[in-house]
Amino acid sequence: MGILGIENRTENWKTSRYFAPLFGEKATHLAERLGEDGVRLELFWTGMRDYINEPPDGASAPTPQNLAERYGYLFPDLRERIERFDGFRELREDNYRVSNPSQKERLYNNLLHTEIDIVLETPSYLFIGEAKHESDFGAEGSSILVHQLIRQHVMATILIDCLESKKSVVHFVVGDDKEQLKKFDQVKFMMEQDWLPERNVLSWDDIKELTRAS
């Protein structure tokens, strides 16, 4: 029972409770569950914001124009892929388009304020995880990058490009029921794009088992 006898039902609290025991050596159990070893773990990661606020030595912070250019060559047909997918609402004119200064500035702000619940860095991969408890995957129709999971993928991929890293971005999701998670349209889309392997759809019980592993 929580403070004053009230259970804390927020996703951040549940994520912290379940993943905090995986810091240190036990983080390798989660990495192995996802198919890799040798790992660093962080929670509630805002990689692009941190990178822009303090670029590595010798690097300069990317501008809205620079990030828009990287988006253009990394995701040239993203809007078309989303439009072909049977499940999302009709996109607005600006969604996933970055041709004018206003769109470029909004893309920049989208990337700057994108937070990822769980991140594991391994020698070959950046695993980015979204934790859900009694809630849907977010979609903000007025944003350039509307859908939560897609926005996270775009941010992580562009950041890796900025760093000239060879790592690949791979997603995982954690929730109350694995089969229910697979029914969400954003999860279906991510799986269709091969950005989210089906084996990386996890339950909270899966995470609890990892914390018990020796």
Side-chain angles (χ1 to χ4, degrees):
M1 192 62 70
I3 292 173
L4 297 178
I6 302 167
E7 181 182 356
N8 187 330
R9 305 184 69 84
T10 64
E11 288 167 358
N12 283 5
W13 174 243
K14 187 157 190 168
T15 302
S16 299
R17 285 181 58 209
Y18 276 71
F19 281 89
L22 291 174
F23 278 102
E25 291 185 5
K26 283 198 173 184
T28 59
H29 297 316
L30 179 55
E32 289 166 358
R33 179 69 168 76
L34 300 173
E36 183 78 349
D37 57 15
V39 63
R40 295 178 61 186
L41 170 69
E42 286 194 22
L43 302 181
F44 312 121
W45 184 69
T46 52
M48 185 64 76
R49 184 195 67 188
D50 297 339
Y51 174 75
I52 288 174
N53 287 342
E54 192 171 346
D57 291 342
S60 56
T63 63
Q65 176 65 29
N66 177 263
L67 293 183
E69 289 173 357
R70 292 177 190 274
Y71 173 81
Y73 67 70
L74 290 168
F75 300 99
D77 63 342
L78 181 56
R79 181 180 170 106
E80 287 72 23
R81 291 195 214 179
I82 292 168
E83 288 177 326
R84 288 195 298 268
F85 177 73
D86 182 21
F88 294 144
R89 294 180 179 178
E90 184 176 353
L91 295 176
R92 299 181 183 181
E93 183 64 27
D94 280 352
N95 297 155
Y96 297 101
R97 287 181 172 150
V98 290
S99 57
N100 63 48
S102 173
Q103 292 168 344
K104 293 173 184 178
E105 187 67 35
R106 287 163 61 201
L107 172 72
Y108 179 88
N109 287 325
N110 278 184
L111 298 176
L112 187 70
H113 295 104
T114 297
E115 179 182 88
I116 298 172
D117 290 338
I118 313 110
V119 176
L120 293 98
E121 181 186 14
T122 73
S124 302
Y125 297 98
L126 188 70
F127 291 102
I128 61 177
E130 179 64 23
K132 287 298 173 191
H133 177 51
E134 300 180 354
S135 67
D136 200 345
F137 293 90
E140 300 173 8
S142 61
S143 297
I144 295 295
L145 306 175
V146 179
H147 305 95
Q148 183 179 18
L149 294 182
I150 300 172
R151 182 166 60 251
Q152 292 174 353
H153 183 80
V154 171
M155 185 275 278
T157 302
I158 291 178
L159 180 55
I160 283 176
D161 190 63
C162 289
L163 294 167
E164 300 182 352
S165 172
K166 301 300 182 184
K167 296 182 191 292
S168 298
V169 177
V170 179
H171 290 254
F172 65 100
V173 294
V174 183
D176 301 312
D177 184 299
K178 288 190 280 191
E179 295 308 312
Q180 187 62 38
L181 284 174
K182 295 175 188 176
K183 295 178 182 178
F184 285 107
D185 288 328
Q186 288 194 42
V187 171
K188 291 178 182 177
F189 178 83
M190 300 295 287
M191 292 172 65
E192 183 180 278
Q193 301 301 310
D194 294 325
W195 296 340
L196 169 62
E198 185 173 357
R199 70 174 181 274
N200 289 3
V201 179
L202 307 174
S203 69
W204 292 108
D205 285 342
D206 291 328
I207 303 305
K208 189 181 293 185
E209 282 300 315
L210 294 173
T211 64
R212 294 171 179 161
S214 59

